[in-house]
Each structure stands twice: as C-alpha cells, then as structure tokens.
Amino acid sequence: MVQIRGPVGAPFDERCHVPSVVKINVLTVPADQRETLEKRFAHRAHAVESSDGFEWFELLRPVEGTDSYLVYTRWRDEESFQAWMEGPMQAAHQGSGEEGAEKPKPAASGSTLWSFEVVQQAEPKNA
C-alpha cells in the first residue's frame, strides 16, 4: 500500500514511498492452449503469495487482436523478485507432473519479460 509522506503537491518521491517494481511476463498462447494455461495458473494459485516482497498478481486473458496473455506481478523491490525467480519459481517450473509422469509441455509457445518501476499511482478517492 502507498504511504503518503509529506504535503500534497510535493514532488512524488518526497510524498510517496513507492519502491515497487512490476514484472509482466508476456506469454504467447495458441488458442487451443488457453484453457490449459488458465488451469495451470489456477492450480498454482497462491504459490507466489507467501513470497517475501510479493505485492500483487494478475493473469490477464487477451480479449481481441492478440494471442498474448499477460502475467502481472508487483514486487517490493528487484531483490524480492530475483529471490522468487531463483527459489520458488524455479522449483515449480523444474518439477514434473504427477509422480512417474512426464513433465507437461508448456502451454505457451513464447515468453518475454517486461520490467517496470512504479513512478506514479492513484487510488480511488474516498467519497
């Protein structure tokens, strides 16, 4: 959550403490794999939520004009994201399916990671 620090009208970095980083994994998913991808994410629900520094997750389904899903995560800082990538995320992706079963093939045919720093944000005004 944003912590307001200082008077309204002060430069953003003086009145708000928002060191968050956003990582968006752009997954190219063929139409016949959409349901598979969504089921896999549903089965992994809460896998990231206990990670130190984790702030938010959303899986965004394309509506029209693209076959790219967006996996949006927000982190306290880059170090928190890297710790998750090198630990829990890596372990989850290296694991096989059920015991003795072959590791399932990826539902996505491609992946690109976008990285951003949060420099401004807004919350709804209280009525």
Side-chain angles (χ1 to χ4, degrees), residues 3-41:
Q3 297 176 354
I4 303 299
R5 300 178 188 266
V8 174
F12 184 78
D13 59 353
E14 290 178 17
R15 65 184 166 94
C16 293
H17 180 261
V18 188
S20 300
V21 295
V22 170
K23 301 294 182 171
I24 301 174
N25 194 0
V26 183
L27 301 175
T28 304
V29 182
D32 65 339
Q33 291 295 309
R34 286 181 169 200
E35 186 176 344
T36 300
L37 179 90
E38 291 179 24
K39 283 181 180 179
R40 287 181 185 169
F41 270 93

Side-chain angles (χ1 to χ4, degrees), residues 34-80:
R34 286 181 169 200
E35 186 176 344
T36 300
L37 179 90
E38 291 179 24
K39 283 181 180 179
R40 287 181 185 169
F41 270 93
H43 286 100
R44 261 191 234 151
H46 313 297
V48 71
E49 292 176 7
S50 61
S51 296
D52 184 48
F54 169 78
E55 296 179 353
W56 198 259
F57 162 85
E58 291 178 322
L59 175 63
L60 306 176
R61 176 192 303 137
V63 177
E64 59 186 36
T66 184
D67 57 356
S68 295
Y69 274 73
L70 301 181
V71 182
Y72 175 100
T73 57
R74 182 170 165 156
W75 299 87
R76 176 181 59 228
D77 51 36
E78 182 67 26
E79 292 76 18
S80 297

